[in-house]
Amino acid sequence: MKTSKECINIKAVQVIHKPRKQVSHQRKHLMTATWEGVPAIILQTLLGGPFLTGYLLYLGAESSEVGFVLAVTTLFNVLQILVAYLIQRLQYRKKAMIVFTFMHRILWGATGLIPFIFPERWWVPVFMILYMGAFIANTVSGMLWTSLISDMVPAKVRGRYFGIRNTILNALGALTLFVGGIILDRYPGGGGFLILFMISWIAIAANLSMFFLYPDPPFEHSSERRFRAMIRKPLSDTMFIKSTLFLAGWLFLQTLIVPLYSYAMLDVLHISYSIVSIMTVAQTVIMMIGFYVWGNLNARFSNRTLLYWTLPLIAGSCLTWGLLSVLPVIPVLLLSHMLLGAGVGGFNQLAFNFMIGDTPKSERPMFIAVYSSITGFASFLGPMLGGLIFKGIAHAPDWVSRYGFQTAVGVVMVLIALTVGRRVLRSA
C-alpha cells in the first residue's frame, strides 16, 4: 500500500509529464495560411499599389500605360474559365499551385532588374512582358489557392477567420507602406526602388517556402465532365449571375478612377511619395479595422446584403475629391482614402466569401472562374478607359483633372447603388 507521500510524488510526476493539448491539424493549417500571408503582403505592398505606379513613372510610362498595367492583371481572369476546366484532371492541387506561384513571384520580382539590364527605351515594354507573364501564372495559382483555401477553412468560421487574417496582414501592409515611402523619399529614383526590390526578393523566398507547409486534400471534382455542361452550371444560376453582372458593372465604374488615385496624387497634384504612402497607410488601417467588423457582421447577414452596404462608402470616396474645390488637399485625400478603406476592404472580403461560400463545393472552381472572368474583364476596361481619360483631360481646365472627373464618377456610382444595386443585392 502506497504512503500518502508516495501518492503525492506520483501525482506530481503525472502533472509534470501530462501531455500538452494537441493542436488540431485544422488549426495548424489555418495558422500556416496566416503566416504564409506575411511575406506575401510585404512583396505585394512593395511591388504594387502606389509603389507600382511610382516605379512605372520612373521607367518612363505615360498615364495610358500606367492604366494598362493596372488593368491587365484583371483581364487575365478570363483565362480562369479554361483553368477551372483543366484542373479537373488534378487529384491534388498543391504541387501545381507551388509551380505557378513560383513563376508569378520570380517574374514579378525580375522587373526590378530591368534598369540594370536593358537600355532605357526598352524599360516599359520589357516591364509589361514580364508583368503580364507573372500574372498569367498568377491566374492559375490564384484559382488553385482559392479552391484549396475554401477546403481548409470551415464554412462556420470563414467570415471571422478571413476578417482576422486580413486585419493582421493589412496591419503589416500599412507598416510596409510607411517604411517604403520613407525609403523612396530618402533615396529617390533607382536607388530607392532597388532597396524595395531587394526586400521583396527576400519576401519572395520566404513566401514560397511557406507553401510547402500547406495541406493537400483530395480535390472534389465537378459532377460534369464536358466543358459546356460545366460552364452552364454557374450561367444558369439566376441569383448568382445577376449579382455577378451587377458587381462587374460596379467594378467598371470603380476602376475608372480608384486604381489611378496614386497617379492623380503623384502626377497631377504633385504630392510626395511619403504623403502618398501615409494616405495609403490610413486607408489600410481603416481597411484593417473594417475586415474585423465586416467579418463579424458576416456571421449575422448574408454576403450580398453586406456587399450592398459597402457601395455608398466607395462612392463617397470618389465624391470626396470634389471637396478639393473648397478645402486643403491633405485632409480631403485623407477622408477619401479612409472611406475607400472601409468600403473596398469590405467589398473585396465579402466578394471572396460570396465566391467560395455561396457556391456548390464540387462546382466551385467554375463558379469562381465565371465570376472572376466577368468582373475581371470589367476591371480591365475601367483603368484602361480611366488612363485614357486622364490623358485626354490633361489640357482641360485644372479643376477637371484635379477633382472633376473623380467627382462625376462618384455621382454616377451613388445613383447606380440606390437603384440597380438595391434591387439586385438587397432582394437576393
Side-chain angles (χ1 to χ4, degrees):
M1 185 173 180
K2 292 183 176 65
T3 65
S4 59
K5 186 174 181 180
E6 289 174 327
C7 291
I8 291 172
N9 289 336
I10 291 171
K11 287 181 179 180
V13 170
Q14 289 175 340
V15 169
I16 293 172
H17 293 284
K18 183 179 180 180
R20 294 180 180 179
K21 185 178 180 180
Q22 294 293 315
V23 179
S24 69
H25 289 297
Q26 191 175 80
R27 187 176 294 273
K28 285 181 180 179
H29 297 158
L30 296 184
M31 290 173 62
T32 297
T34 301
W35 279 108
E36 175 270 314
V38 170
I41 196 67
I42 292 174
L43 72 93
Q44 288 168 12
T45 301
L46 295 181
L47 300 188
F51 299 136
L52 172 59
T53 303
Y55 188 56
L56 285 167
L57 293 174
Y58 166 72
L59 294 179
E62 297 179 349
S63 62
S64 58
E65 292 170 324
V66 172
F68 174 80
V69 169
L70 296 177
V72 73
T73 57
T74 55
L75 178 64
F76 295 143
N77 286 341
V78 175
L79 298 174
Q80 287 195 16
I81 291 179
L82 179 61
V83 174
Y85 173 69
L86 293 177
I87 65 173
Q88 295 297 324
R89 303 168 185 269
L90 298 175
Q91 182 65 30
Y92 296 93
R93 292 158 285 184
K94 180 176 173 180
K95 184 182 294 185
M97 181 184 72
I98 291 174
V99 169
F100 283 97
T101 301
F102 178 85
M103 292 170 60
H104 167 251
R105 303 294 198 255
I106 295 301
L107 288 172
W108 198 7
T111 60
L113 300 175
I114 290 173
F116 302 98
I117 298 175
F118 298 95
E120 188 170 348
R121 68 180 183 276
W122 289 104
W123 287 2
V124 174
V126 172
F127 178 92
M128 289 183 175
I129 292 171
L130 290 175
Y131 190 78
M132 287 190 291
F135 280 88
I136 289 173
N138 187 59
T139 298
V140 182
S141 65
M143 164 68 73
L144 292 167
W145 182 86
T146 303
S147 173
L148 190 58
I149 199 73
S150 67
D151 289 347
M152 289 170 57
V153 184
K156 63 181 179 180
V157 300
R158 195 170 284 153
R160 192 179 300 274
Y161 169 74
F162 283 115
I164 294 172
R165 181 181 187 269
N166 290 337
T167 300
I168 294 170
L169 297 184
N170 278 270
L172 178 59
L175 177 61
T176 305
L177 269 170
F178 181 71
V179 173
I182 292 175
I183 291 172
L184 286 183
D185 273 348
R186 184 166 296 181
Y187 304 99
F193 284 114
L194 178 60
I195 295 173
L196 297 191
F197 273 97
M198 289 174 67
I199 298 171
S200 299
W201 293 330
I202 296 171
I204 286 171
N207 180 239
L208 290 173
S209 65
M210 291 297 297
F211 279 109
F212 289 95
L213 301 179
Y214 265 61
D216 196 11
F219 182 30
E220 184 174 333
H221 296 88
S222 170
S223 58
E224 304 291 345
R225 289 292 176 265
R226 292 185 303 168
F227 177 79
R228 185 176 297 179
M230 202 178 294
I231 197 172
R232 191 181 296 129
K233 288 285 184 73
L235 294 178
S236 61
D237 188 322
T238 305
M239 188 174 292
F240 170 81
I241 205 67
K242 278 175 59 179
S243 300
T244 297
L245 288 172
F246 169 75
L247 294 176
W250 179 265
L251 285 169
F252 170 75
L253 291 172
Q254 178 180 312
T255 54
L256 278 174
I257 181 58
V258 170
L260 295 163
Y261 271 14
S262 296
Y263 171 80
M265 289 188 290
L266 291 168
D267 208 54
V268 177
L269 300 177
H270 304 292
I271 296 175
S272 68
Y273 282 110
S274 58
I275 297 297
V276 172
S277 296
I278 290 172
M279 295 298 168
T280 314
V281 166
Q283 173 185 327
T284 305
V285 170
I286 297 299
M287 188 183 298
M288 182 178 64
I289 298 170
F291 282 140
Y292 183 77
V293 174
W294 292 115
N296 285 331
L297 288 172
N298 206 190
R300 298 173 53 198
F301 302 98
S302 71
N303 290 314
R304 292 179 177 87
T305 297
L306 293 178
L307 274 168
Y308 177 75
W309 293 356
T310 67
L311 304 186
L313 296 171
I314 300 171
S317 172
C318 297
L319 281 173
T320 302
W321 283 70
L323 296 176
L324 289 175
S325 60
V326 293
L327 295 176
V329 171
I330 302 302
V332 170
L333 295 181
L334 186 61
L335 176 60
S336 175
H337 280 76
M338 291 172 71
L339 288 171
L340 186 65
V344 169
F347 184 95
N348 293 341
Q349 178 169 304
L350 293 161
F352 182 79
N353 290 345
F354 166 67
M355 285 191 297
I356 70 172
D358 294 3
T359 53
K361 183 178 178 181
S362 62
E363 311 300 329
R364 189 167 292 153
M366 189 56 77
F367 272 80
I368 293 171
V370 169
Y371 174 87
S372 299
S373 297
I374 295 173
T375 57
F377 184 68
S379 299
F380 166 74
L381 294 177
M384 283 289 292
L385 181 58
L388 291 172
I389 291 174
F390 264 111
K391 187 175 181 178
I393 62 178
H395 301 294
D398 187 53
W399 66 270
V400 176
S401 58
R402 284 171 58 87
Y403 58 83
F405 175 44
Q406 297 90 316
T407 306
V409 172
V411 171
V412 175
M413 292 174 79
V414 169
L415 295 175
I416 294 295
L418 294 177
T419 54
V420 183
R422 187 176 183 84
R423 288 199 302 270
V424 173
L425 296 179
R426 291 300 299 275
S427 62

